[in-house]
Amino acid sequence: MAKTKPGIPKGTRDFDPIEIARRDHILNAIREVYRLHGFRPIETPAMENLSTLLGKYGEEGDRLIFRILNSGDFTSRVDDQDWQNKNTGRLSAQLSEKALRYDLTVPFARYVVQHQHKISFPFKRYQMQPVWRADRPQKGRYREFFQCDADVIGTKSLVCEAEIMQIIDKVFSQLNIDVRILFNNRKILAGIAEYIGHPDRLTDITTAIDKIEKAGLESAVGELLQKGLSKDAVDKLKPVLELEGSNDEKLQALETLLAGIPTGIKGIGEVREVFDIVAVSPLHCDLEFDLCLARGLDYYTGAIIEVKSVDVPMGSLCGGGRYDDLTSIFGLSDVSGVGISFGADRIYDVLEAMNRFPDTTGTFSQVLAINFGQKERDYCLPALENLRSIGVQCEMYPEPVKLKKQLQYADKNYIPFVLMAGEEEMKKSLFSLKDMRTGDQEQLMLEQISDVLMKYIDR
Amino acid sequence: MAKTKPGIPKGTRDFDPIEIARRDHILNAIREVYRLHGFRPIETPAMENLSTLLGKYGEEGDRLIFRILNSGDFTSRVDDQDWQNKNTGRLSAQLSEKALRYDLTVPFARYVVQHQHKISFPFKRYQMQPVWRADRPQKGRYREFFQCDADVIGTKSLVCEAEIMQIIDKVFSQLNIDVRILFNNRKILAGIAEYIGHPDRLTDITTAIDKIEKAGLESAVGELLQKGLSKDAVDKLKPVLELEGSNDEKLQALETLLAGIPTGIKGIGEVREVFDIVAVSPLHCDLEFDLCLARGLDYYTGAIIEVKSVDVPMGSLCGGGRYDDLTSIFGLSDVSGVGISFGADRIYDVLEAMNRFPDTTGTFSQVLAINFGQKERDYCLPALENLRSIGVQCEMYPEPVKLKKQLQYADKNYIPFVLMAGEEEMKKSLFSLKDMRTGDQEQLMLEQISDVLMKYIDR
C-alpha cells in the first residue's frame, strides 16, 4: 500500500462533531416540525437508474449529474464509432447506467409511481437526504449537500399550501431566524402573460422575472425585449410587476387588470384562500404576496413560495410550490401535489453569520472520569455505568496519565464535569465532582452527583 | 420527457415510513449507547478520491468499489492503447478519479490523518452512514447499506476493549436481542502460528480458521494442508482449536501450550485484562473466549470481537477489533485504535425474524382532524396548532370528503385518534375524540384532549 496524501474531492466536506451538532440542530428542527404536521419519512437510494434522472433537470442539469461507471467490463457496451468521435453524451450513457440523485423531487415522483398501490393518498412524506451535483464549487455551493423536502401528493386542497406556511413559520421560529415568506401563484403569472398578449411565452416571462431580484427590473425587461416580446407587451408588464401596497391592495389591483382572464382570476382566488386559511392561526413571520416571485422550475402550476432571511442577505432559505403533473413522466397522471424544500446549508450559514447556534458544551460527553490507576479506575467504572443508566453521557480517560493532560482532554472536548476519586474519596465512598466551567469542586455521594447531572442535562 | 418505467438499481432499496421507523429504532439505540460512552459523531463525504480507497480492500474489494465517471470530457485522459487493449483496470483509473465509500474505516483513517492537528487524542468517534459495494445482491446483502462504527484511536489502553463489550451489551439489551460476544486476540493466533512452526503463515491460518464456522474444522484443516502446511503442524493446531471448558480453563491451557512464545503470552494477558475490567460492571450477555474466531481483515493486531444472535442463526451482527497501524497508509504511524461496527441490516432481519419490533402505531401522526367543510375545518385548525405546541403530531384531512374515506385514511396510516367537530361540538366549544383502537368516542374540552394525548405520547 503506497502512502496517499489524504484529501477529499473538491466541493465535498468532512463534518466534525461540532459541525454535526450544529447541522443536527437545523435538521432536527425541520424534522420535528414535519412530524408535528403528520408528514411521514421515506428514503430512496443514493443511486437511481440514469434513465430516471436524465431529461428531468434540463440540459444543464443533465451535465451536472454524477454518473456511476458500470462495473466489470464497462468497455463492452461502448460503440467504437462514438469513441472515435469522442461523443461524450452517447458514451456516458454506454459507460454508465446509474447515477447519484440530483434532488429529492424526481426520486419522490419515481417512488410514488413505483409504490402507488401501497400508498394511501393523500400522501404526506418528508425526506431528508444528501444530493449530489457536479456544479462548480464555490462559497456556499457544494457538490454534496442536504435537502429537506416535504410534499403532500394526491390532493388539490389549499389547506396544504396554508400548512406549508405554518411549517415554515414554525421551523424558523424554532431556529430563531426572522424570515419573510414570499408567495405568488403560477396561474397569476400565466394570467399576466395572457394580459400582455403573450400566453405562449410564460416560460420566458417567468425566467426573466426570476432574475429581477439579482439583476433588477430593467435588465429583466431588456431580456424579454431581446427574446422578441413587443415593446407594448413589456410596457404593459412593467407596472404589474411594480404594483405596491398591502397584499390585499395588490390582489385587488390585479383583479381589475386580469378581469376576463379566467386563469389569472383563479390564481388570485387561490392566493386569497390560502391567506384566509392561514389567518385562522396567524403566523409569526410576514407572508407577502410578491408578483416578482417566479421560481425557475418548469413544473410548478399553482402556488410558489420562497423564504428570505430578514437580517442576512442571502438567496432563498426554503422554496417550493404546487405541481399538477410531476408523476406523469413515470406514467401516473393527474396527481397534484405541493411541496417545499429547506436548504440546510444556507440556513447553517445564516445561523453562523448571526452567531445563533446553541451552545454545544456538553453535547457529547458530560462527564470525564479521571484515570488515576487501576484501583481508582475500577472504583469509578461502576459509577459511570450508573450515570449512563439515567442518561448521562460519560467516559473514563483510558490511560492513567498526568492529571493535567486528562483535564486538557476534558477542556478540548467541552466536557463540563470531571469525576475523580483518590484514596480519600474511596475511603469515604464519595467522589469529587469538578465543574469545569466554574472550577468548583465538591465531594459528593453518587446520588448527589446524579442529581447535579440530571439537572444539567435537563437544562 | 419520455415515459420511464420506474424502478431502482438492483441491490438498492426504498424505505417506506414503517421501515424507517424500524430502522431508526435500531440506529437510535446504537447512537444513544455510543453517546452514553462519550463517542462523538463525524461524517465523511459519500465520494472519496479513488486513490484514498484503492488498494485498501484487497483485489476483490477494489473490483467492488463503485466509481464515479469523470465529469465533462472524460475521454481526454484516456490512453488510446489502453482503450484498444480493453484494459479495464487502467481505463477505470483514467475515466474516474472519485468513488463511493466502501466502508467507514478507511474514510475514518483518512479523516484522522487529514485533521490530526485539530483532533485531541485519544479520539472517540462514531459514524453512521451508508456505504456502497458492487457486490452480487442476494438475500440480506445489499449494494447500499448502513454501517454504524465506533472507534477509539490514539491509545492502547484495554479499557477501550472493555468499553466495547459494555456497548455491545447495552445495544442488544435495548433492542431485546439475546447475544453471545465472541472474543479472541490476534496475538494469540500469532502465538499459535509460532507454536505449530509457521509464524510466517499467520494470514493463511487466520483465513482458514475464519471458515471453520461455515465449513467445519476438517475443511479448514484440509485447506491448510493444501496450502503447504505440514501434517505435523496441522496435528498440533487441531487440539488447540478444539480446546474446551470455561474461558479461564481455555486460557490456562493455552498458557501452558504457548509458554516461551512472548507474543502468545502477551495476547493471553490482554484477554485476561479485558475480562478483569469487564467484570467490574458485569455484562448481561455471555462473553466467550473463542479460539476459532479469526476475522478476515488483515489490519487487526490485538483483540478481535464478533457478536452472534443466540436465537436466530445468522452471520455476525457486530464485529471489530484492535489495529495498530491503520493510519500509516496515509502517513501517520504508531496510532493504535480499536473499533466496532454494527450491521444494522442484519439486526433488522433478526428483529423481524423474532417479531420484536416495537409497535409503530402513532409513530408519525397521532391525531387526524376530520374535515367536514370550511367552518368545521377552521374551528379545528387552531386546536391542532395547540396540540402541536405540546408535541402532539397531528393533521387535518385536506378535503371535506366522506367521513368513511377520512377514517380509512386514519386507519391505513395507523393514526390512533380522530378529532371531530360538527354543529353540536362547536356550539358547546367541545370536540369529539375517537380512539381508533377501541372505537370509543367522547366529547371533551381541548385541555382534556391535550391530557389524553400527552398520556399517549409519553407511554
Side-chain angles (χ1 to χ4, degrees), chain A residues 10-299:
Chain A
K10 62 179 178 183
T12 69
R13 292 164 290 172
D14 284 325
F15 290 89
D16 71 19
I18 298 296
E19 287 160 344
I20 290 189
R22 293 176 161 198
R23 201 200 54 195
D24 282 352
H25 170 65
I26 298 166
L27 299 183
N28 291 342
I30 298 168
R31 185 184 300 110
E32 192 189 320
V33 174
Y34 282 162
R35 294 177 71 108
L36 282 175
H37 282 266
F39 286 80
R40 285 164 269 278
I42 69 160
E43 289 188 12
T44 61
M47 294 186 268
E48 292 276 352
N49 291 327
L50 197 51
S51 56
T52 299
L53 304 183
L54 282 184
K56 313 304 187 297
Y57 307 106
E59 248 178 73
E60 172 68 0
D62 279 357
R63 259 198 304 275
L64 300 184
I65 291 172
F66 279 113
R67 288 143 206 249
I68 311 280
L69 186 63
N70 289 340
S71 302
D73 180 15
F74 51 80
T75 64
S76 63
R77 298 175 53 190
V78 173
D79 182 277
D80 272 342
Q81 202 56 50
D82 289 331
W83 186 263
Q84 296 304 327
N85 299 338
K86 309 278 182 210
N87 186 333
T88 50
R90 291 174 57 91
L91 286 171
S92 67
Q94 295 160 13
L95 285 166
S96 150
E97 49 192 23
K98 292 183 285 291
L100 295 182
R101 67 174 162 251
Y102 180 86
D103 72 357
L104 302 178
T105 307
V106 169
F108 172 55
R110 190 268 308 149
Y111 179 98
V112 167
V113 178
Q114 188 176 336
H115 303 288
Q116 56 185 290
H117 302 298
K118 63 171 198 175
I119 293 174
S120 83
F121 294 95
F123 181 43
K124 299 176 84 169
R125 87 86 171 78
Y126 72 85
Q127 187 171 358
M128 302 169 61
Q129 291 189 279
V131 302
W132 295 269
R133 295 183 186 177
D135 238 327
R136 228 169 55 141
Q138 48 180 262
K139 194 180 153 29
R141 192 199 284 161
Y142 303 100
R143 293 185 147 189
E144 173 179 62
F145 58 98
F146 254 86
Q147 288 197 335
C148 308
D149 285 22
D151 290 78
V152 191
I153 194 162
T155 171
K156 294 186 174 179
S157 165
L158 297 170
V159 170
C160 305
E161 274 83 342
E163 179 161 46
I164 282 178
M165 305 302 180
Q166 300 286 357
I167 287 173
I168 292 169
D169 190 50
K170 275 199 199 78
V171 166
F172 288 107
S173 293
Q174 203 151 313
L175 293 174
N176 195 15
I177 298 176
D178 284 330
V179 295
R180 291 180 307 138
I181 305 178
L182 309 179
F183 180 37
N184 196 1
N185 191 298
R186 274 286 172 88
K187 295 190 181 77
I188 294 180
L189 294 177
I192 293 172
E194 204 173 327
Y195 165 72
I196 66 170
H198 284 292
D200 52 325
R201 304 295 291 275
L202 180 58
T203 300
D204 286 337
I205 295 168
T206 53
T207 307
I209 292 178
D210 207 31
K211 293 178 184 157
I212 292 177
E213 199 200 353
K214 272 196 188 155
L217 181 58
E218 288 311 320
S219 154
V221 155
E223 181 179 317
L224 285 173
L225 288 171
Q226 223 173 13
K227 282 191 171 163
L229 262 73
S230 67
K231 186 156 180 319
D232 271 10
V234 167
D235 283 346
K236 261 180 118 172
L237 177 63
K238 270 177 68 179
V240 179
L241 297 179
E242 286 176 322
L243 274 180
E244 286 194 350
S246 69
N247 291 331
D248 208 51
E249 285 163 358
K250 283 190 269 185
L251 285 165
Q252 275 182 22
L254 259 188
E255 223 151 16
T256 315
L257 288 176
L258 302 186
I261 301 174
T263 311
I265 295 299
K266 181 142 198 280
I268 294 169
E270 288 183 7
V271 169
R272 280 198 199 281
E273 191 178 337
V274 173
F275 274 120
D276 287 346
I277 305 174
V278 167
V280 172
S281 309
L283 304 179
H284 303 88
C285 68
D286 276 344
L287 174 58
E288 190 178 323
F289 175 56
D290 179 2
L291 277 164
C292 293
L293 175 68
R295 286 190 65 73
L297 293 163
D298 262 357
Y299 50 70

Side-chain angles (χ1 to χ4, degrees), chain B residues 16-117:
Chain B
D16 71 20
I18 299 295
E19 287 160 344
I20 289 190
R22 292 176 162 198
R23 202 200 52 194
D24 283 353
H25 169 66
I26 298 167
L27 298 184
N28 291 342
I30 297 169
R31 187 184 298 109
E32 192 189 322
V33 174
Y34 281 163
R35 293 176 72 108
L36 283 176
H37 283 265
F39 286 80
R40 285 165 270 277
I42 70 161
E43 288 187 12
T44 61
M47 294 186 266
E48 292 277 350
N49 290 327
L50 197 50
S51 56
T52 299
L53 304 184
L54 282 184
K56 311 302 189 296
Y57 306 106
E59 249 179 72
E60 172 68 0
D62 279 357
R63 259 197 306 274
L64 300 183
I65 291 172
F66 279 113
R67 289 142 205 251
I68 311 280
L69 187 61
N70 288 340
S71 301
D73 180 13
F74 51 80
T75 63
S76 63
R77 297 175 54 191
V78 173
D79 183 277
D80 272 343
Q81 202 54 52
D82 289 332
W83 186 263
Q84 296 305 328
N85 299 338
K86 309 278 184 210
N87 185 333
T88 49
R90 290 175 57 91
L91 287 170
S92 67
Q94 295 160 14
L95 285 165
S96 151
E97 48 193 25
K98 291 185 284 293
L100 295 181
R101 66 173 164 253
Y102 180 86
D103 71 358
L104 302 178
T105 307
V106 168
F108 172 56
R110 191 268 308 149
Y111 179 99
V112 167
V113 178
Q114 189 176 337
H115 303 287
Q116 55 185 290
H117 302 297

